[in-house]
Amino acid sequence: MATLHNQDILRADQFNKEEVALIMDTARAFEQDLQGGKVLNTMNGQILASLFLEPSTRTRLSFETAMLRLGGGVVTVADPKTSSAAKGESLHDTIKTVEGYADLIVLRHPQIGAAEQAAAATDKPILNAGDGAGQHPTQSLLDLYTIKKEKGTADGLTITLAGDLKNGRTVHSLVDLLLLFDVKFYFVAPPALRMPAEIVEKLSNKGIEVTETESLEQALAASDVLYMTRIQRERFADPAEYECLKGSYVLNQALLDKAKEGITIMHPLPRVNEIATDIDDYAGAAYFRQAANGIPVRMALLALVVGRA
Ligand code: CP
């Protein structure tokens, strides 16, 4: 039987299909509880440490809301300048300290691999809330939950990932998770921001069809889901390169008119200008519903890793 009890949540490719089904089913049950106005005490007596050493709105607030909705408590670092990381404390020492205060730890960190380092420092569950350009596994789970809610199933879909596919941890994790399903991909990016070759190779080794193109228009015509991403200023060493690439793709009404009928538009957010605001009124614009889905999915993860769901 699938279980996540005492597991760290570090990478999207750590899950098998049964574990993903368990997370989806648990999230659905919590969502129904919330819709029914149920007050939960699932995490009564548990404390979540929420350590965000990189900026966040959705991930931090939805994890903390999830814990509070489950009846647990939260301690938080929302700004690295207010933690002793600013005085040069190592991640190892921060985690060894925080494990004495909390029952489970959510970590966002600017360095790839930071969540694995944190997990090596403690037996308390670590949940990776984004490690640099590496992974964002809890985002990919809420993305999958959104796809299933919007489309009924992930199987049989053609999914376009567009934007900064080189540095985008959300797309790296989403690809890893969707490897468990029968999907086809379009990867739309400028040459400098293409999906890393090892990820494309992993897909082709699994027999998953991938079309790489610079043309968003070409991909839209064939896609059931468009997953737009931001060109991430913070990942560029050279600001001039960011300035050249920042407006590469903008979904506006003229482009949407050329898309497959009923296409679902997703975005992990924040957006800068890659989706025009007039698209927000389109029925298939799912990005704010997607952000809200972070609550039941993160409730499920928190409860499952401590064995309370
Ligand atoms: N999607 C996401 O990770 O958003 P935040 O950076 O606001 O947490």
Side-chain angles (χ1 to χ4, degrees):
M1 201 175 119
T3 177
L4 295 183
H5 190 196
N6 283 334
Q7 282 192 34
D8 302 303
I9 307 298
L10 302 177
R11 307 180 50 82
D13 59 7
Q14 76 182 68
F15 302 112
N16 61 36
K17 210 155 180 175
E18 290 70 36
E19 289 164 340
V20 171
L22 174 67
I23 297 163
M24 298 293 117
D25 291 347
T26 308
R28 212 167 294 118
F30 279 135
E31 187 174 359
Q32 281 165 8
D33 287 342
L34 293 180
Q35 283 166 350
K38 208 162 163 183
V39 176
L40 300 168
N41 60 7
T42 312
M43 295 295 270
N44 195 12
Q46 297 272 307
I47 301 284
L48 169 71
S50 167
L51 305 183
F52 278 72
L53 306 183
E54 224 188 23
S56 169
T57 297
R58 278 144 291 275
T59 312
R60 185 173 71 82
L61 293 181
S62 63
F63 258 121
E64 294 182 6
T65 303
M67 191 63 177
L68 296 172
R69 291 278 186 215
L70 289 166
V74 175
V75 291
T76 188
V77 170
D79 177 355
K81 291 200 286 297
T82 66
S83 86
S84 285
K87 300 179 202 162
E89 184 172 58
S90 69
L91 178 62
H92 175 272
D93 286 3
T94 300
I95 297 296
K96 290 305 288 176
T97 302
V98 172
E99 72 171 354
Y101 304 154
D103 301 288
L104 61 176
I105 300 169
V106 171
L107 176 70
R108 171 166 289 186
H109 197 282
Q111 284 166 12
I112 294 175
E116 272 100 344
Q117 282 174 36
T122 182
D123 290 334
K124 298 274 172 76
I126 295 285
L127 295 98
N128 180 4
D131 59 330
Q135 284 272 316
H136 196 349
T138 71
Q139 175 73 44
S140 63
L141 288 161
L142 78 88
D143 293 340
L144 176 64
Y145 188 76
T146 302
I147 290 170
K148 284 171 166 277
K149 267 178 83 175
E150 299 287 327
K151 295 301 208 195
T153 176
D155 287 315
L157 297 182
T158 298
I159 298 178
T160 288
L161 309 180
D164 183 353
L165 306 188
K166 177 183 172 194
N167 299 302
R169 59 192 174 201
T170 62
V171 288
H172 300 164
S173 288
L174 185 55
V175 166
D176 278 338
L177 200 59
L178 288 172
L179 276 172
L180 297 172
F181 297 86
D182 172 25
V183 296
K184 291 180 189 163
F185 285 111
Y186 277 82
F187 292 162
V188 179
L193 298 177
R194 283 176 67 176
M195 188 66 87
E198 61 271 20
I199 295 181
V200 178
E201 197 180 314
K202 188 158 57 172
L203 289 166
S204 97
N205 288 343
K206 293 249 178 195
I208 293 180
E209 193 178 312
V210 179
T211 306
E212 292 190 90
T213 174
E214 286 182 61
S215 166
L216 183 56
E217 187 176 330
Q218 178 202 348
L220 281 175
S223 295
D224 302 294
V225 174
L226 168 64
Y227 191 98
M228 285 293 278
T229 63
R230 178 173 62 96
I231 310 285
Q232 302 172 86
R233 182 198 296 266
E234 64 273 26
R235 306 285 176 230
F236 285 82
D238 177 2
E241 195 189 0
Y242 169 74
E243 288 301 320
C244 273
L245 292 168
K246 68 179 182 187
S248 295
Y249 300 105
V250 177
L251 179 68
N252 53 25
Q253 191 58 52
L255 256 181
L256 185 60
D257 288 343
K258 296 177 180 160
K260 185 171 172 180
E261 200 179 334
I263 190 171
T264 294
I265 311 297
M266 296 175 63
H267 192 309
L269 303 177
R271 72 175 153 188
V272 181
N273 55 10
E274 54 281 344
I275 300 180
T277 52
D278 59 357
I279 303 295
D280 297 0
D281 294 331
Y282 166 59
Y287 28 93
F288 293 116
R289 296 192 288 276
Q290 180 184 355
N293 289 334
I295 302 292
V297 171
R298 290 180 170 126
M299 287 171 77
L301 290 167
L302 293 169
L304 286 165
V305 297
V306 297
R308 293 198 182 190

